[in-house]
């Protein structure tokens, strides 16, 4: 099976879109960063380093310190696909992030987004 093109897309190219989506709904860049750091285990400096290095999604997730153990609690549909049913591990991580950003943009409380 061929690799999906998003795997080679630079995370730094998509990151501003996550921020714009959140800001259109009166959420902040800090909220987006908090979600990304919660999911991946990056600290703020590590996240900024990934953005500056323009690593692709495959590298971004491969270098992530540790996926949050509660990420398995992320459920729902993104782009017509249930995130908990995505078979490719990398695609599932990308969909988890998409789902969390969607929840942020929909006004969900941060505690619920972070599965606390």
């Amino acid at each position: 099976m061929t690799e999906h093109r998003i795997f080679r897309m630079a995370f730094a190219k998509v990151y501003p879109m996550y921020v714009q989506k959140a800001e259109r709904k009166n959420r902040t860049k800090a909220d987006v960063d908090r979600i990304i750091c919660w999911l991946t285990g990056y600290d703020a400096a590590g996240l900024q380093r990934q953005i500056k290095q323009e690593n692709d999604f495959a590298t971004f997730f491969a270098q992530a310190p540790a996926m949050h153990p509660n990420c398995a609690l992320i459920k729902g549909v993104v782009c017509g696909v249930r995130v908990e049913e995505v078979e490719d591990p990398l695609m599932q991580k990308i969909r988890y992030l998409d789902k969390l950003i969607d929840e942020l943009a929909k006004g969900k409380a941060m505690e619920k987004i972070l599965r606390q």
Side-chain angles (χ1 to χ4, degrees):
M1 193 165 132
T2 61
E3 184 178 88
H4 198 282
R5 66 187 182 117
I6 192 152
F7 296 171
R8 294 290 155 221
M9 187 175 293
F11 175 78
K13 301 283 187 215
V14 179
Y15 174 77
M17 293 178 223
Y18 291 147
V19 173
Q20 288 172 357
K21 184 173 189 172
E23 288 177 341
R24 279 194 307 266
K25 300 295 184 168
N26 296 319
R27 301 306 284 260
T28 66
K29 177 183 176 293
D31 291 335
V32 172
D33 289 354
R34 183 174 173 198
I35 287 170
I36 295 169
C37 291
W38 174 87
L39 180 65
T40 61
Y42 284 112
D43 58 15
L47 175 59
Q48 291 309 309
R49 206 169 23 259
Q50 287 291 319
I51 293 167
K52 184 177 179 187
Q53 292 172 351
E54 296 190 4
N55 287 330
D56 59 27
F57 271 96
T59 304
F60 175 80
F61 281 107
Q63 293 180 356
M67 292 297 288
H68 196 281
N70 286 352
C71 71
L73 300 175
I74 302 169
K75 310 247 187 255
V77 178
V78 174
C79 299
V81 178
R82 296 206 67 77
V83 295
E84 62 271 25
E85 295 174 1
V86 174
E87 292 183 15
D88 184 281
L90 177 55
M91 182 60 82
Q92 187 172 50
K93 291 172 185 173
I94 294 168
R95 295 298 185 197
Y96 282 158
L97 181 54
D98 290 343
K99 180 65 177 165
L100 296 176
I101 298 298
D102 284 353
E103 290 176 358
L104 179 69
K106 289 178 181 172
K108 200 168 188 181
M110 189 61 79
E111 297 76 35
K112 290 188 178 190
I113 295 170
L114 301 182
R115 307 319 196 247
Q116 296 175 337

